[in-house]
């Protein structure tokens, strides 16, 4: 039967299979660029496709989500205003997974809103759906897999409203739609809350860094007098795999691949030596392979707290990045990094600061893991509801 894998027990019977172009009616959009928009408090709001890709939730409440307004001199003479329940798709993306990513207007809040560059503005023309259901239905793999196959392009992938004539969507009764939409909205709200928790903790540790590391008249010691700076070992890219026991750090902020061997023990600070991310500071809690564009800080002196050193370097990350030389392939010279000044306070103060920072950092890591679990839960529900 045409029913989902996961269902609320009070519902039975098949879902209707409807061609998307029969469900939706499409409206014209404008081509205003970022430069023609503003964030003023009043005016006509414009939904740019960039906000669909990053910045807006699936269900948009205009009273809670900031949209840009159109500068007075660029207000179009003809426009199609959005209504509650309208779905807006982004028609272009560099990633096929995000082609036709969409939002649904759950609450326009009485505002005048039009759709802008690289968007497809649509509305349920046959009154088969409730406000809140369509955004999640079009985010589900059942639809995403169809539209992904229709995307055209090489570097930039795109779709048009004509492609919706080749896609289908399942529609249950409105009561079941409401149950599904409310559950997924609750998960979305919990994810948003989790993000705020993480942002608050990140703000807290940054504030403490500023407060505790900016000391008037403090003494400094050069990095080479605390640790030995060692450059990593280049590995052939053909030897790397997408999975493995040990990750490879090689001049970036994410692993460049995986190996079945490591050359650096756990609990080691690494600093990217070359590439666009050179100067990035990371504490590696597990063994890893230090690549040719990676520095590791080893053999610390006993009179210095190693975790305190990590937190101070993280605080000064932008200053470390300022040591870059070169333009095409920037890098940081070992001799410049060796002379980098480190705030030298008593070992007792170092121990206290490191303890405080570690507690907050551990909490941030934990909260991020919780956020990932909620994201996984949402993906599971979208796949099965």
């Amino acid at each position: 039967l045409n029913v989902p894998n996961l269902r609320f027990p009070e519902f039975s019977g098949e879902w209707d299979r409807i061609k998307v172009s029969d469900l939706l009616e499409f409206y014209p959009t404008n081509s205003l660029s970022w430069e023609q928009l503003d964030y003023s408090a009043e005016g006509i709001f414009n939904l740019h496709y960039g906000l669909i890709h990053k910045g807006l939730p699936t269900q948009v409440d205009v009273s809670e989500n900031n949209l840009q307004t159109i500068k007075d001199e660029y207000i179009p003479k003809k426009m199609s205003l959005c209504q509650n329940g309208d779905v807006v798709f982004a028609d272009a993306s560099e990633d096929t997974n995000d082609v036709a990513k969409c939002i649904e207007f759950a609450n326009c809040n009485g505002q005048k809103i039009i759709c802008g560059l690289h968007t497809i503005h649509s509305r349920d023309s046959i009154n088969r759906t409730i406000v809140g259901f369509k955004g999640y239905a079009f985010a589900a793999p059942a639809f995403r897999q169809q539209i992904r196959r229709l995307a055209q392009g090489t570097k930039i992938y795109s779709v048009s409203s004509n492609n919706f004539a080749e896609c289908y969507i399942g529609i249950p009764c409105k009561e079941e739609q409401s149950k599904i939409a409310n559950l997924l909205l609750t998960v979305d709200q919990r994810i948003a809350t989790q993000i705020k928790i993480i942002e608050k903790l990140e703000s807290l540790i940054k504030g403490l860094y500023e407060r505790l590391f900016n000391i008037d008249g403090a003494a400094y010691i050069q990095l080479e007098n605390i640790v030995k700076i060692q450059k990593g070992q280049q590995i052939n890219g053909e030897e790397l795999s997408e999975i493995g026991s040990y990750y490879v750090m090689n001049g970036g902020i994410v692993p460049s691949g995986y190996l079945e061997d490591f050359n650096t023990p756990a609990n080691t600070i690494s600093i990217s030596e070359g590439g666009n991310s050179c100067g990035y500071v990371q504490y590696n809690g597990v063994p890893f392979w230090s690549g040719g564009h990676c520095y590791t800080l080893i053999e610390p002196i006993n009179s210095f707290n190693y975790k305190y050193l990590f937190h101070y370097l993280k605080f000064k990350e932008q200053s470390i990045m300022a040591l870059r030389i070169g333009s095409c392939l920037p890098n940081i010279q070992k001799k410049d990094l060796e002379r980098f000044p480190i705030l030298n306070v008593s070992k007792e103060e170092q121990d206290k600061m490191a303890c405080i920072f570690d507690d907050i950092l551990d909490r941030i890591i934990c909260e991020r893991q919780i956020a990932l679990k909620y994201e996984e839960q949402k993906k599971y529900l979208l796949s099965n509801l």
Side-chain angles (χ1 to χ4, degrees):
L1 298 179
N2 186 34
V3 296
N5 297 325
L6 188 64
R7 201 172 192 186
F8 292 99
E10 62 266 37
F11 299 104
S12 60
E14 289 195 83
W15 287 24
D16 292 332
R17 186 171 182 266
I18 298 178
K19 186 184 293 186
V20 176
S21 59
D22 292 338
L23 173 69
L24 300 179
E25 182 177 356
F26 300 97
Y27 295 84
T29 60
N30 65 70
S31 57
L32 297 175
S33 64
W34 284 110
E35 291 75 20
Q36 296 169 306
L37 307 176
D38 203 351
Y39 275 106
S40 59
E42 297 180 356
I44 297 175
F45 290 95
N46 184 82
L47 177 60
H48 191 277
Y49 81 104
L51 291 178
I52 298 177
H53 283 306
K54 186 176 182 180
L56 291 176
T58 304
Q59 297 298 326
V60 174
D61 184 337
V62 177
S63 64
E64 298 178 359
N65 301 111
N66 291 329
L67 295 180
Q68 293 168 305
T69 53
I70 304 171
K71 294 178 181 178
D72 291 342
E73 60 269 32
Y74 299 114
I75 294 176
K77 295 180 180 180
K78 294 182 179 181
M79 61 185 78
S80 300
L81 298 179
C82 295
Q83 300 178 7
N84 291 346
D86 283 8
V87 177
V88 186
F89 301 87
D91 72 7
S93 174
E94 295 178 358
D95 185 352
T96 55
N97 291 324
D98 283 339
V99 174
K101 185 178 180 181
C102 72
I103 60 95
E104 180 175 3
F105 282 109
N107 177 22
C108 291
N109 197 37
Q111 301 290 341
K112 291 182 178 180
I113 308 166
I114 61 176
C115 299
L117 185 68
H118 289 305
T119 63
I120 299 174
H121 178 196
S122 67
R123 183 176 300 156
D124 178 357
S125 61
I126 56 177
N127 193 29
R128 287 298 311 274
T129 60
I130 64 161
V131 174
F133 174 76
K134 295 182 294 299
Y136 292 117
F138 290 122
F143 172 76
R144 303 293 313 149
Q145 291 168 3
Q146 297 178 67
I147 201 70
R148 191 182 299 120
R149 289 194 294 267
L150 299 173
Q152 298 179 343
T154 52
K155 294 183 179 180
I156 302 296
Y157 302 93
S158 64
V159 294
S160 69
S161 58
N162 294 330
N163 293 124
F164 292 102
E166 302 178 54
C167 300
Y168 292 81
I169 192 171
I171 303 291
C173 68
K174 291 186 176 181
E175 291 78 9
E176 190 170 359
Q177 292 179 40
S178 179
K179 292 277 284 189
I180 293 172
N182 288 336
L183 173 60
L184 289 167
L185 178 60
T186 302
V187 177
D188 264 347
Q189 290 170 337
R190 186 62 188 84
I191 291 172
T193 300
Q194 194 65 24
I195 292 172
K196 290 179 181 178
I197 291 171
I198 295 168
E199 289 174 346
K200 288 287 186 181
L201 289 168
E202 289 174 338
S203 177
L204 173 62
I205 198 168
K206 287 179 182 178
L208 287 173
Y209 279 168
E210 290 282 350
R211 183 71 176 270
L212 297 177
F213 285 145
N214 287 321
I215 303 175
D216 293 334
Y220 290 86
I221 181 174
Q222 290 186 346
L223 185 59
E224 65 179 344
N225 295 321
I226 303 171
V227 294
K228 178 182 177 182
I229 301 175
Q230 179 173 280
K231 191 171 180 180
Q233 181 181 350
Q234 189 64 41
I235 193 78
N236 194 323
E238 296 178 355
E239 299 180 47
L240 302 179
S241 60
E242 295 183 1
I243 57 173
S245 301
Y246 306 101
Y247 60 78
V248 177
M249 292 305 297
N250 194 32
I253 62 176
V254 295
S256 56
Y258 292 85
L259 293 172
E260 291 303 320
D261 193 10
F262 69 93
N263 62 4
T264 309
N267 302 315
T268 301
I269 300 170
S270 65
I271 300 177
S272 296
E273 177 268 346
N276 293 329
S277 300
C278 66
Y280 175 74
V281 180
Q282 177 167 301
Y283 189 85
N284 303 273
V286 297
F288 69 103
W289 186 277
S290 174
H293 293 292
C294 181
Y295 289 127
T296 53
L297 310 187
I298 62 174
E299 301 177 14
I301 60 176
N302 292 330
S303 60
F304 220 87
N305 187 302
Y306 192 68
K307 289 302 291 289
Y308 165 84
L309 175 63
F310 161 71
H311 288 291
Y312 186 78
L313 290 171
K314 197 67 181 175
F315 168 63
K316 288 291 187 178
E317 195 169 56
Q318 292 301 316
S319 298
I320 297 173
M321 291 181 175
L323 299 175
R324 298 174 176 179
I325 59 173
S327 54
C328 296
L329 185 62
N331 67 92
I332 295 175
Q333 296 290 301
K334 181 180 177 181
K335 59 182 177 61
D336 294 329
L337 192 59
E338 287 175 333
R339 292 195 294 264
F340 193 82
I342 306 298
L343 180 66
N344 189 16
V345 297
S346 68
K347 182 66 161 52
E348 182 181 3
E349 289 180 276
Q350 292 178 29
D351 294 342
K352 288 181 179 179
M353 289 187 199
C355 183
I356 293 170
F357 296 144
D358 280 352
D359 281 349
I360 300 173
L361 199 58
D362 288 344
R363 177 70 185 277
I364 291 173
I365 292 171
C366 180
E367 297 296 346
R368 284 174 178 166
Q369 290 172 342
I370 293 172
L372 288 174
K373 291 298 181 184
Y374 281 122
E375 291 285 358
E376 290 175 7
Q377 183 184 56
K378 180 182 176 181
K379 290 180 181 178
Y380 175 82
L381 293 173
L382 283 172
S383 298
N384 291 280
L385 282 175

